[in-house]
Amino acid sequence: SIKRFVYIISCFFLVTAIFLFYSSFVTPENTNFDSISSSLSSIILIVYSVILLYEKIQNPDSTFIYGTFEFWIVVGLMIYFAGTFFLFLQAKNFTREEMKLFWKINLISNILKNIFFAIAFYQKKRNLERSPSLNFEHY
């Protein structure tokens, strides 16, 4: 039932994204930030991240979930999209001065996401170095 839910949400998002993309070509003078699609994609990616972490917890492949690089990537995405959700939701209503003031939230969330991605890359490298069957340097 979870996979069916994911497919339905994905189809809904795809139809919405195509509609918004098409409508931006019909009215090209509208160059404002598209807060509807950004907020919708934030919600969908947060839901996907929660579902993925739930599945990882239910079927543990390693002793600790934070020992995998996927965990760090998902947490980074969750922090970024949760941190910027309300910012993206209200971005259409901001003046230029308010946008400069509040866009720091996006910058901080982006920095945190990149830190978690760096941890994920380090974790992936460390896991490859520990597993001799996956390290092909000696062949």
Side-chain angles (χ1 to χ4, degrees):
S1 65
I2 291 176
K3 289 183 181 182
R4 186 176 306 145
F5 177 71
V6 168
Y7 289 134
I8 291 170
I9 288 179
S10 298
C11 292
F12 175 71
F13 175 71
L14 185 63
V15 168
T16 306
I18 290 171
F19 172 74
L20 291 171
F21 184 72
Y22 176 73
S23 67
S24 69
F25 281 117
V26 173
T27 58
E29 67 274 356
N30 187 9
T31 59
N32 292 338
F33 183 77
D34 190 10
S35 63
I36 295 172
S37 63
S38 297
S39 301
L40 186 62
S41 63
S42 294
I43 291 172
I44 290 171
L45 285 170
I46 289 170
V47 169
Y48 286 166
S49 298
V50 168
I51 290 171
L52 181 73
L53 288 178
Y54 176 76
E55 286 182 4
K56 285 283 190 183
I57 290 172
Q58 293 298 320
N59 188 12
D61 294 334
S62 63
T63 55
F64 299 109
I65 191 169
Y66 58 83
T68 63
F69 73 96
E70 295 98 350
F71 170 79
W72 295 104
I73 290 175
V74 169
V75 168
L77 288 174
M78 283 180 69
I79 286 175
Y80 176 75
F81 285 111
T84 59
F85 173 70
F86 291 107
L87 176 69
F88 290 164
L89 192 62
Q90 293 296 321
K92 179 191 311 191
N93 303 325
F94 288 154
T95 63
R96 182 156 308 276
E97 292 81 26
E98 290 173 334
M99 185 64 85
K100 285 181 183 178
L101 178 68
F102 287 116
W103 207 251
K104 293 176 186 174
I105 296 170
N106 180 36
L107 297 175
I108 292 170
S109 297
N110 202 4
I111 289 170
L112 288 173
K113 175 190 61 119
N114 290 336
I115 288 171
F116 282 109
F117 279 13
I119 293 170
F121 294 145
Y122 174 73
Q123 193 70 32
K124 176 74 173 175
K125 180 183 174 194
R126 202 170 95 186
N127 287 345
L128 284 175
E129 288 174 353
R130 285 186 183 170
S131 177
S133 63
L134 295 176
N135 192 353
F136 298 108
E137 291 177 0
H138 64 276
Y139 289 110

